[in-house]
Amino acid sequence: MKDNQLLKYILKRIGISIVILFFVALIIYTLMRCLPTSYIEAVALQKSMQPNSKSFEEWMEQLTKMYNMDKGIVEGYFAWLGNVFRGEFGDSWKWTMPVTEKFNNVVWVSFVMGAIALFFEVIIAIPLGVIAATKQYSKADYTISIVALAGISLPTFFFASLMKLVFAVKLGWFDLYGLVGRDYEYLSPAGQLLDKANHLVLPIIVLVVISMGSLMRHTRTNMLEVLNADYIRTARAKGLSERTVIYKHAFRNTLIPLVTILGGSLPGLFSGALITETLFSIPGIGYTSYHSMVSGDIPFSMFYLVFMAAMTLLGNLITDILYAVVDPRVRVS
Amino acid sequence: MSEELKNVNEQENSSSEQYSLNDDRRVKVLSPGAMVAKRFFRNRLAVTGLVILVFMFVFSFIGGMISPYEEDQVFYRLDMQFKEYAAVTKNEEYRFANAGKEVAYDSILQAQTILALTKKADSFTWKDVEYGVTQEGENFYSISHNGEVIGMAFKDIVSSTIEGVELSFDQRFAMLKAFTNGETSFSLDGVDYTVTEDGGVTTADGEVAFVSSYVIQSIHSDVFLTRAFKEEVVAAIEAGEEVFPFTNEAGESCEYKLSFDVTKNMWSIQEEKGVKVFDTYSYPSKEHWLGTDKNGMDMLTRIMYGGRVSLIIGFIVVVISTVLGVILGGMSGFFGGWVDMLIMRIVDIFYCIPSMPIIIILGAVMDGMRVDPTLRMLYLMLILGFLGWPSIARLVRGQILSLREQEFMVAAEATGIKIHNRIFKHLIPNVIPQLIVVCTMSLGSTIITEATLSFLGLGVKFPFASWGNIINDVNDTFVLTTYWFIWIPAGICLLLTVLAFNILGDGLRDAFDPKMKR
């Protein structure tokens, strides 16, 4: 494949993605605008209750104007879009600071947590998937398949509660909630790091177990497909050892779809783990946005939703590009 | 494969005696459906999944009918609580009584009496009038004016033991006099009284009063304290007991708690009383196999009804998204061109919309608008169904794109079959196997989504039960640590059901398409 062909493909995909994102943002904006205005009223009322504050009417007027709520939906959307191009997402109502600043404060916790979880997921799921495929219909295969299915079927909140009961309550190894312990302020820098790490253990275990199953199944399916391919038969016919056949010929080819999937899931790390973070009160992006959404913080929710949509698109784009780059057999059409 | 061969051999052995070798009847022909069923039932794991699901359906739908309790039936229990009952003081000060004569023994005279007593004088003068103070017994004095007793000062209290009968001044005077002087009998107005050592005063008709230095008063104005009870109290105080039992005339036994308040210099008596309260978080028992929840409702029944809700929501959501997905995907795949382009871009957009946050926001909005729980369940199904169709549309479109190029479709077109019939009679049936597999799997994930929402308090709401909102109780750390029976059974039901749907989906895929079996 020629380089400029790939470039053209990428540009075209980016173009389509931007159009899609435009409409997704429009839909989300419309939805947000259809929320009952009582949320703004509540905020205005609350703000006007504070000492030395402006009156309720003034706050209402200012808030509706500030978030372009006084304009029509289409007009308001373009005004929002205009602000976004200037890099302004407005101020969060719940956290009373610029949306981007709050985002920057909390996103890294989620990212680190997600990255560590992804790492463990990969080093556990891929080998198990390969083992299951190479020993198809064996006891190991059935066990791994059932474990994978159970992982997919486990409701996050139930598993997290079980983990809390066993490891936090019965064994007392970890705290039930939060990112830092009670005596965090008095710890040395190294101690603070360890404290945070200690608090992240349970959420990461939950994330790994919940997401491991699908990767395991995926690896198994791909590996089986590769093992049935002609070139594997050739390799065996040549008299190569089973080890070489599996780990040199089959596994490398299995990696192609896996790498593309994992590459595609990288942007998702910035979206955080909404349920897990909320359950463990880890102040990451998922937790923050959950509380923003529940309390009707329109600027922050709007930002988070559009950001998530953008990350999904970016993930798909990376998957497609990686597929073309990693596998020379694939021709971009 | 070897099993299949064996089956064929067996058939040959058994039937070769009746039919000649080239007889068609010798070969048993199975319809495609029967083949699928045969392959499916050979898969032990898939059958296990099916069995679990059947069990769950029976448990949820029939169990709810068999259960003797209603979904939101509240149970009560009698809780024993100590309630303030009476107060006891030991009288250390003089009390006074007015005889009701011409000269009233008022508070000024009472104060003067105290002065006279402290001075140990036998008379005092107030406003040029002289009053006599006579010691009648221990800590018992009579105050007289011109030789007539107008009042008395005393420390021991006389109280009537007959409900509703007040004692006259003369009676009290006589009783006190007898008691303080250690006399055992006296007579007044032609009635003979006997005084016992512990203060009881009896006539021929029985006990009428008793004398004691303790004052026992009921907190409630409508409760009359019997002599026996008062005696029991005094005995308990003197013995230094803190808890004493008492059986009243009706034979009801009660525990009483005595506590001494130093600042008020009095004892308070608390009665143990049964109070009807919600039977919350009771442990598993014969009546409630899985205990009761925080509202005092039977847990097992709640789980049954919760399963009903979860399963019904799952099915309706999947039906909505399948219908939408099949129609739109079918149109897209069949017509191609700009219809395909438009529908696929809509699918792309829907794929990008983060569904969980959207549902959470809508849930919060419904919270804010206080939507009725029944209506809310309906909205939830519509929203989930509407967000779920794009993946099905994609699947259907992909299948149809490959199917419509096949010869049978050319033949269908050549015979002049209407477009409508070509889509729904020739194309869609070929997609159904994949569709069934995907629907089975998405049933599982829909149930998880619904449970997660209900867990967060944004899905199915009280009074309806759902496996998710049953587990919601663990948000209370105390429940998480203490009451396992509240959330673990519901969680296991949820896990088993979703797992069974996934296993079933896998098994169905293998059965429908043995080539895909990996």
Side-chain angles (χ1 to χ4, degrees):
Chain A
M1 176 184 16
K2 285 170 191 164
D3 275 355
N4 62 346
Q5 220 180 334
L6 181 64
L7 196 69
K8 225 169 127 185
Y9 172 72
I10 293 174
L11 285 176
K12 193 186 154 201
R13 281 296 304 268
I14 291 177
I16 294 176
S17 297
I18 288 173
V19 174
I20 292 176
L21 197 60
F22 175 85
F23 284 106
V24 170
L26 178 61
I27 290 176
I28 295 173
Y29 186 81
T30 314
L31 203 73
M32 285 291 176
R33 284 296 299 270
C34 292
L35 299 185
T37 50
S38 60
Y39 282 118
I40 298 186
E41 279 165 25
V43 174
L45 191 66
Q46 196 192 345
K47 281 184 185 269
S48 62
M49 290 292 201
Q50 284 161 3
N52 301 326
S53 179
K54 286 179 273 189
S55 74
F56 175 71
E57 284 77 18
E58 276 176 276
W59 268 116
M60 271 303 280
E61 202 179 314
Q62 193 193 334
L63 284 172
T64 36
K65 211 171 169 186
M66 210 156 104
Y67 297 107
N68 299 312
M69 293 293 169
D70 49 344
K71 297 174 188 158
I73 288 179
V74 177
E75 207 185 331
Y77 177 60
F78 281 104
W80 179 81
L81 215 56
N83 282 337
V84 168
F85 277 118
R86 271 180 265 125
E88 291 167 17
F89 283 92
D91 289 348
S92 162
W93 294 350
K94 178 158 174 71
W95 313 102
T96 55
M97 58 161 83
V99 166
T100 41
E101 195 187 320
K102 181 72 192 171
F103 173 73
N104 198 37
N105 285 348
V106 295
V107 75
W108 298 108
V109 176
S110 295
F111 181 77
V112 169
M113 202 171 96
I116 296 173
L118 186 67
F119 173 74
F120 281 109
E121 189 190 325
V122 166
I123 63 167
I124 294 172
I126 292 185
L128 285 180
V130 170
I131 290 171
T134 50
K135 297 179 179 166
Q136 201 185 359
Y137 302 135
S138 68
K139 264 189 186 147
D141 180 29
Y142 277 118
T143 315
I144 291 172
S145 297
I146 292 177
V147 167
L149 268 178
I152 295 172
S153 313
L154 257 181
T156 315
F157 60 92
F158 179 58
F159 184 59
S161 304
L162 273 182
M163 297 303 277
K164 276 184 184 177
L165 180 65
V166 175
F167 292 105
V169 179
K170 298 279 179 214
L171 296 174
W173 292 352
F174 308 105
D175 280 0
L176 272 175
Y177 299 105
L179 180 61
V180 294
R182 226 170 280 149
D183 48 358
Y184 180 74
E185 295 298 324
Y186 308 106
L187 293 173
S188 62
Q192 291 187 338
L193 196 69
L194 276 176
D195 189 42
K196 280 190 179 178
N198 180 52
H199 282 84
L200 283 178
V201 171
L202 281 187
I204 288 175
I205 291 177
V206 169
L207 279 181
V208 170
V209 171
I210 296 294
S211 52
M212 203 167 59
S214 65
L215 188 65
M216 228 187 269
R217 275 162 68 89
H218 213 89
T219 312
R220 179 174 176 271
T221 317
N222 278 314
M223 189 76 183
L224 281 173
E225 206 165 296
V226 171
L227 283 174
N228 283 336
D230 290 342
Y231 55 81
I232 296 297
R233 197 177 305 133
T234 314
R236 285 212 176 100
K238 271 194 334 194
L240 294 177
S241 70
E242 192 62 18
R243 251 183 89 90
T244 323
V245 171
I246 288 173
Y247 292 101
K248 204 164 175 194
H249 292 252
F251 182 60
R252 285 193 184 180
N253 278 295
T254 312
L255 277 181
I256 294 170
L258 293 183
V259 165
T260 56
I261 289 170
L262 291 176
S265 68
L266 282 179
L269 295 181
F270 289 99
S271 307
L274 201 132
I275 307 292
T276 312
E277 283 176 22
T278 311
L279 286 173
F280 286 97
S281 300
I282 303 286
I285 181 70
Y287 172 83
T288 312
S289 52
Y290 174 75
H291 285 282
S292 306
M293 288 186 293
V294 170
S295 56
D297 180 352
I298 293 180
F300 196 93
S301 310
M302 186 74 204
F303 170 78
Y304 177 67
L305 290 176
V306 173
F307 178 76
M308 264 184 103
M311 287 299 125
T312 312
L313 282 170
L314 188 63
N316 291 347
L317 189 64
I318 291 177
T319 307
D320 289 356
I321 294 171
L322 269 181
Y323 202 53
V325 172
V326 175
D327 193 348
R329 290 170 300 184
V330 173
R331 291 285 172 272
V332 176
S333 53
Chain B
M1 285 306 262
S2 59
E3 262 178 67
E4 266 173 60
L5 272 177
K6 211 167 40 183
N7 283 348
V8 173
N9 285 338
E10 275 169 23
Q11 277 166 17
E12 271 175 12
N13 289 339
S14 60
S15 53
S16 53
E17 295 155 21
Q18 290 144 4
Y19 306 115
S20 67
L21 261 177
N22 57 353
D23 195 320
D24 278 351
R25 283 172 295 179
R26 212 176 57 84
V27 181
K28 197 181 171 192
V29 182
L30 284 177
S31 72
M35 290 290 283
V36 168
K38 202 175 159 193
R39 277 197 295 265
F40 178 82
F41 285 110
R42 207 175 283 162
N43 184 344
R44 221 182 293 157
L45 195 60
V47 172
T48 314
L50 189 67
V51 169
I52 295 176
L53 277 183
V54 169
F55 171 76
M56 280 301 167
F57 271 88
V58 170
F59 175 75
S60 308
F61 287 90
I62 300 176
M65 277 181 243
I66 294 175
S67 165
Y69 309 127
E70 295 295 314
E71 181 180 8
D72 46 8
Q73 187 178 345
V74 179
F75 294 91
Y76 299 92
R77 68 159 170 249
L78 226 56
D79 200 20
M80 298 314 270
Q81 287 177 355
F82 280 102
K83 289 236 163 139
E84 215 55 55
Y85 184 63
V88 183
T89 41
K90 184 169 181 171
N91 196 32
E92 303 284 359
E93 281 165 15
Y94 282 101
R95 291 179 174 234
F96 306 96
N98 188 3
K101 299 283 159 62
E102 249 175 84
V103 184
Y105 183 52
D106 57 11
S107 54
I108 294 165
L109 294 181
Q110 290 169 7
Q112 291 296 326
T113 311
I114 296 288
L115 284 174
L117 286 177
T118 46
K119 278 187 271 180
K120 294 194 165 46
D122 55 2
S123 68
F124 63 89
T125 315
W126 175 250
K127 288 195 175 160
D128 301 333
V129 184
E130 199 176 302
Y131 300 91
V133 178
T134 324
Q135 179 159 22
E136 305 277 355
E138 193 191 343
N139 290 329
F140 178 44
Y141 299 87
S142 67
I143 291 88
S144 52
H145 173 58
N146 290 339
E148 189 185 38
V149 174
I150 57 159
M152 57 180 172
F154 50 90
K155 278 189 180 175
D156 293 317
I157 316 285
V158 184
S159 35
S160 168
T161 50
I162 303 165
E163 198 170 351
V165 174
E166 289 288 312
L167 295 169
S168 70
F169 179 85
D170 290 341
Q171 278 175 313
R172 288 161 69 194
F173 188 88
M175 284 171 191
L176 273 172
K177 189 166 182 179
F179 180 70
T180 51
N181 291 317
E183 288 163 13
T184 53
S185 64
F186 65 95
S187 65
L188 183 76
D189 298 337
V191 184
D192 287 324
Y193 295 87
T194 321
V195 181
T196 57
E197 209 172 307
D198 57 356
V201 182
T202 49
T203 63
D205 301 333
E207 198 169 57
V208 286
F210 83 99
V211 186
S212 161
S213 59
Y214 290 97
V215 188
I216 304 174
Q217 272 168 328
S218 169
I219 298 287
H220 311 283
S221 56
D222 56 338
V223 174
F224 179 78
L225 299 175
T226 58
R227 164 77 208 282
F229 179 75
K230 285 180 177 174
E231 261 180 14
E232 195 72 45
V233 171
V234 171
I237 288 173
E238 278 166 1
E241 283 166 13
E242 287 193 336
V243 180
F244 65 94
F246 178 72
T247 313
N248 66 8
E249 290 145 337
E252 290 163 12
S253 185
C254 243
E255 281 278 304
Y256 293 90
K257 219 158 77 177
L258 260 179
S259 53
F260 185 67
D261 189 338
V262 183
T263 52
K264 285 184 191 157
N265 194 26
M266 64 189 277
W267 288 266
S268 72
I269 301 172
Q270 287 177 318
E271 184 192 29
E272 194 180 33
K273 250 192 162 175
V275 184
K276 210 177 172 195
V277 292
F278 285 167
D279 190 11
T280 54
Y281 297 130
S282 72
Y283 276 84
S285 60
K286 234 181 221 169
E287 291 82 44
H288 307 291
W289 289 1
L290 287 176
T292 53
D293 67 0
K294 68 173 168 205
N295 299 307
M297 297 175 184
D298 183 57
M299 209 62 229
L300 187 65
T301 312
R302 293 288 284 177
I303 292 178
M304 285 169 180
Y305 280 91
R308 217 183 259 198
V309 166
S310 292
L311 289 170
I312 288 178
I313 288 186
F315 270 99
I316 294 182
V317 166
V318 168
V319 165
I320 293 174
S321 50
T322 309
V323 168
L324 276 175
V326 167
I327 292 174
L328 288 166
M331 274 163 59
S332 176
F334 187 80
F335 293 113
W338 68 269
V339 178
D340 182 32
M341 173 74 186
L342 183 72
I343 293 176
M344 279 304 111
R345 289 296 84 80
I346 295 175
V347 166
D348 283 341
I349 289 171
F350 265 83
Y351 251 92
C352 275
I353 293 180
S355 52
M356 199 66 193
I358 292 280
I359 303 169
I360 288 175
I361 289 175
L362 290 174
V365 169
M366 285 195 267
D367 261 2
M369 290 165 72
R370 297 177 197 286
V371 177
D372 174 69
T374 320
L375 213 59
R376 204 184 155 116
M377 226 145 78
L378 194 74
Y379 287 145
L380 183 71
M381 290 186 246
L382 288 178
I383 295 165
L384 288 176
F386 195 64
L387 288 170
W389 67 269
S391 60
I392 290 177
R394 246 186 205 180
L395 171 93
V396 172
R397 172 183 174 268
Q399 286 292 314
I400 285 182
L401 276 184
S402 69
L403 284 171
R404 71 170 188 183
E405 303 301 326
Q406 291 185 11
E407 285 81 1
F408 75 93
M409 284 313 292
V410 181
E413 199 175 350
T415 45
I417 296 172
K418 273 184 258 167
I419 289 179
H420 177 263
N421 281 348
R422 261 190 280 156
I423 296 181
F424 290 102
K425 284 207 162 151
H426 293 265
L427 281 177
I428 299 293
N430 280 298
V431 189
I432 279 182
Q434 277 91 341
L435 215 53
I436 290 177
V437 172
V438 171
C439 286
T440 315
M441 297 264 195
S442 62
L443 261 171
S445 59
T446 307
I447 289 175
I448 287 196
T449 311
E450 180 272 324
T452 308
L453 281 171
S454 304
F455 174 78
L456 293 173
L458 299 168
V460 178
K461 285 262 183 186
F462 188 82
F464 293 105
S466 131
W467 286 338
N469 72 18
I470 289 172
I471 305 177
N472 175 279
D473 269 9
V474 298
N475 285 336
D476 181 347
T477 313
F478 190 65
V479 175
L480 172 77
T481 54
T482 329
Y483 304 120
W484 60 271
F485 55 87
I486 296 291
W487 58 281
I488 290 190
I492 289 172
C493 283
L494 187 58
L495 172 62
L496 277 182
T497 308
V498 178
L499 187 64
F501 273 121
N502 282 334
I503 291 175
L504 187 68
D506 255 19
L508 282 173
R509 176 167 49 211
D510 292 347
F512 278 127
D513 192 354
K515 276 177 292 177
M516 284 288 289
K517 193 169 185 180
R518 288 274 144 81

